[in-house]
Amino acid sequence: MGAGIAEVFARNGVEVVAVEITAEALERGRATLTRSTDRAVARGRLTGADRDALLGRITFAVGLPALAEVDLVIEAVPERLDLKRRLFADLDRICRPAAILASNTSSLSVTEIAVATGRPDRVVGMHFFNPAPVMKLVEVIRTVTTATEVVGAVQDLCARLGKVAVTVADRAGFVANALLFGYLNQAVAMVESGYATREEIDAAMRLGCGLPMGPLTLLDLIGLDTAYEILDTMYRRGGRDRRHAPVPLLRQMVTAGLLGRKSGQGFYRYERPGSGTVAADDQAVAAPVEGARPVRRVGVVGSGDVATGLADLFGQAGYDVTVLDPGGGLAGLADADLVVEAVAEDLAAKQALFAELAEVCKPEAVLATTTGMLPVIEIAMAARWPAEVVGLHLLDPTPAGAVVEIVRTVRSSAEAVATARAVCAALGRTGVVCGDRAGRVVDALLFPYLNDAVRMLEASYATARDIDHAMTLGCGYPAGPFEVLDAVGPDVALRIQQRLYRESREPGLAPAPLLEQVVTAGQGFSGRSAG
Ligand SMILES: NC(=O)c1ccc[n+]([C@@H]2O[C@H](COP(=O)([O-])OP(=O)(O)OC[C@H]3O[C@@H](n4cnc5c(N)ncnc54)[C@H](O)[C@@H]3O)[C@@H](O)[C@H]2O)c1
C-alpha cells in the first residue's frame, strides 16, 4: 500500500519521501513502484518521460528522520495498534508541528492512534484502496479531535490527486471494509468447510455478480495477514459480530506463511512473490465429469420465463427438448435423460411434481429443480430416487447468463452431480457445485452484505450515495449496494435475508428493520439520504 500511495502522489506532481524500516524493505517497495509504473508505460497509460519524472519526485530513505520537513505523512505499516501508536508518537517528535499525520489503517481506531501524539487535532485517517493508483476512493476519517481545517485540507488534497473522498467518523472498518470483510470471511468459511471450492466461489461472484474478482482472489491481493488483523479488529471493535471473527483457516494460513500474492502463495499459488499470475498447484480440483451419464433428451416442466429460457438454451445447445406444462400429463418425459423443473417457487407444488416425475421417468434420469431458495433435499425426498435429484440454479436464465449453481444434497449421487456438471459445460455455463443451504453461494454471500449496507444507512453513518460510492470506487463493484437493492427489489432481498436468518440463526443476519420498513412502505432506496 505504501508503494501505491507514493505512486499516487508522485504521479500528481507532489514530492514524496518514501520511508521504510530497513534497506531491504525499501528495495522491495522501490521494486513494486518500478514494476507498477513500467506496467503503466507498457499499457500506454504513462509516457516514459512521465514515469521518469514521477520516479524523480520520490526520495527513498530508511528511518523516520527523513520525514522532518514534510507537510503530510501517510502511514501504511502493518495493521497493529501498538505499532501504529509507537510510530505516531515518534512522528510527532520528528515532524514539524504543523505537519498533518494521516493513517491508512483499514480498521484500527484513528482516535487511539491520534491520542498517542501531542497533536490529535492534526491526525486524520486517509484510507486508500488496493491498488492505490487505480482505485478512486479515499475514505477520510475524522475523529472527534480532528480539526475541521485538517479535514478540509485532506479533502482538497484528495481532489488534487483525482480521488473521490468520502468523509466518515471513526468506526471499525469505516464504510467499505465494514461491508466487505464479513463477505470475505464467509467465503473463507465456505472453503474451510468444503461447501464449494475456491475456484467455484470466485467464479460464482465474478460471473454471477460482475465483481472484478472473486473473494479469495481479493483476499490474496489484500494479504491474508492484513485481512486477519482487519477482521480481528472489526470483531473486537464492531460489537463482536461472529461473522467478523476470523475463520480459523485464515490464522493457519498466516502462520504457514501463506500470505497471498506478496508471499507467492495464499488461496492460490502465484508465479513468484508479488505476481498476480496464478500458477498451477495441487489444490486445483479438476471438475469431475467422469461418471456423467449421456444426456440427449431433456424435459423442461413449466410455462414461465425460466422454463422458456431453459428450453431455448437446451435447444440451442443441440439437445432434444420437450417442454411440458405442469398441469398437463408428464408421460412425454418417459425417455428423458434429464428433467429440469421451473414451476412456481412453492415447496408443496415442487414435491408433488417430483413424486409424479419419479413415476413417469426412467430410474437413471437426472431430475433437477431450479429453486433458488427451497431446500433441494425436501424436494428430492418426494421423488422415488432422491439420489438422482440435484438443484440447477440458473442465476440468470437468459442465454447470456454465465453461472449455474449445482446443488448437491446429502443424498445426491456422484453420477447425478457429474451429469449436471457435464450438461452445464455443454451449455457453455460455469457450473458451481455447492451444498444444499439457503442462498447457495451467490445469494448467501451477496444478501448479508446488502443487509449490512442497510444497517449502516439506518445508523446514519453514511448516506446511500456515499455507501454506493465506497463500493464502486473503492472495490470496483459494478454497482453499489443500494443500486443493487433497488434493481433486485427490496422485497426480494428481504425474503432471501429472512430465509438466510431462519436457517443460520445468526443474529448478524437478521433483516435490517429499515429494509422491512422500506418494503412495507413500498419504496426503493434511490434518493434516500439517511435512515
Ligand atoms: N492490503 C490492502 O489491501 C490494504 C488496503 C487499504 C489499507 N491497508 C492498510 O495499509 C496498511 C499496510 O498494509 P499493507 O497491506 O501494505 O501491509 P504490508 O505488510 O504489505 O506492508 C507494511 C510495510 O510496513 C513496513 N514497516 C513496518 N514497520 C515499519 C516502521 N516502523 N516504519 C516504516 N515502515 C514499516 C514493512 O516493512 C512493510 O513493507 C495497514 O494498516 C492496512 O490495513 C491495506
Side-chain angles (χ1 to χ4, degrees), residues 1 20 76-79 84 104 106 127-128 130 222 226 262:
M1 284 306 293
E20 259 286 359
V77 306
E79 188 75 343
K84 295 201 193 255
N104 180 49
S106 306
H127 183 224
F128 287 80
N130 194 355
I222 291 170
T226 302
K262 62 182 162 190

Side-chain angles (χ1 to χ4, degrees), residues 44-109:
R45 285 202 243 104
L46 196 69
T47 65
D50 284 347
R51 173 199 46 205
D52 297 343
L54 184 164
L55 294 174
R57 284 185 206 108
I58 306 179
T59 312
F60 294 86
V62 172
L64 301 182
L67 298 172
E69 296 306 322
V70 303
D71 302 314
L72 166 76
V73 179
I74 299 177
E75 161 281 311
V77 306
E79 188 75 343
R80 292 204 328 267
L81 184 62
D82 56 336
L83 177 63
K84 295 201 193 255
R85 280 175 55 91
R86 250 186 289 126
L87 184 77
F88 272 72
D90 290 344
L91 288 171
D92 189 33
R93 255 184 287 108
I94 290 164
C95 298
R96 294 186 305 113
I100 295 174
L101 306 181
S103 174
N104 180 49
T105 180
S106 306
S107 59
L108 295 169
S109 161

Side-chain angles (χ1 to χ4, degrees), residues 193-210:
S193 66
Y195 180 70
T197 67
R198 60 182 186 184
E199 285 87 357
E200 291 182 319
I201 295 168
D202 276 350
M205 297 314 285
R206 205 162 36 79
L207 304 173
C209 296

Side-chain angles (χ1 to χ4, degrees), residues 67-326:
L67 298 172
E69 296 306 322
V70 303
D71 302 314
L72 166 76
V73 179
I74 299 177
E75 161 281 311
V77 306
E79 188 75 343
R80 292 204 328 267
L81 184 62
D82 56 336
L83 177 63
K84 295 201 193 255
R85 280 175 55 91
R86 250 186 289 126
L87 184 77
F88 272 72
D90 290 344
L91 288 171
D92 189 33
R93 255 184 287 108
I94 290 164
C95 298
R96 294 186 305 113
I100 295 174
L101 306 181
S103 174
N104 180 49
T105 180
S106 306
S107 59
L108 295 169
S109 161
V110 180
T111 315
E112 284 188 54
I113 295 170
V115 296
T117 73
R119 60 177 100 180
D121 56 324
R122 304 198 72 70
V123 177
V124 64
M126 269 185 100
H127 183 224
F128 287 80
F129 286 77
N130 194 355
V134 179
M135 291 303 175
K136 283 262 169 280
L137 181 76
V138 177
E139 287 173 326
V140 174
I141 319 306
R142 132 193 262 156
T143 76
V144 288
T145 58
T146 315
T148 305
E149 141 229 345
V150 168
V151 174
V154 167
Q155 288 168 332
D156 291 348
L157 182 60
C158 289
R160 198 173 138 202
L161 299 174
K163 300 289 184 194
V164 174
V166 165
T167 304
V168 288
D170 189 14
R171 265 176 56 163
F174 316 127
V175 177
N177 285 347
L179 298 181
L180 184 67
F181 272 78
Y183 149 71
L184 296 179
N185 203 34
Q186 179 64 21
V188 178
M190 285 180 174
V191 173
E192 190 189 54
S193 66
Y195 180 70
T197 67
R198 60 182 186 184
E199 285 87 357
E200 291 182 319
I201 295 168
D202 276 350
M205 297 314 285
R206 205 162 36 79
L207 304 173
C209 296
L211 304 187
M213 60 180 81
L216 304 160
T217 304
L218 177 56
L219 277 163
D220 276 356
L221 172 68
I222 291 170
L224 270 52
D225 50 345
T226 302
Y228 178 89
E229 295 299 336
I230 293 173
L231 279 165
D232 190 52
T233 311
M234 286 190 32
Y235 175 72
R236 282 185 286 104
R237 282 185 74 205
R240 299 191 181 258
D241 183 338
R242 282 197 316 209
R243 292 179 305 146
H244 293 142
V247 168
L249 178 62
L250 268 180
R251 176 81 251 166
Q252 293 156 26
M253 291 177 75
V254 171
T255 306
L258 307 174
L259 305 183
R261 280 191 195 184
K262 62 182 162 190
S263 72
Q265 193 173 349
F267 285 100
Y268 296 91
R269 185 193 290 279
Y270 298 88
E271 269 180 350
R272 53 179 163 69
S275 161
T277 309
V278 173
D281 65 15
D282 54 10
Q283 311 267 310
V285 269
V289 287
E290 29 334 325
R293 301 195 191 111
V295 173
R296 203 163 60 76
R297 280 181 292 270
V298 176
V300 175
V301 185
S303 52
D305 290 349
V306 178
T308 315
L310 274 169
D312 288 349
L313 197 63
F314 281 110
Q316 281 160 17
Y319 290 97
D320 178 353
V321 188
T322 307
V323 187
L324 289 181
D325 196 295

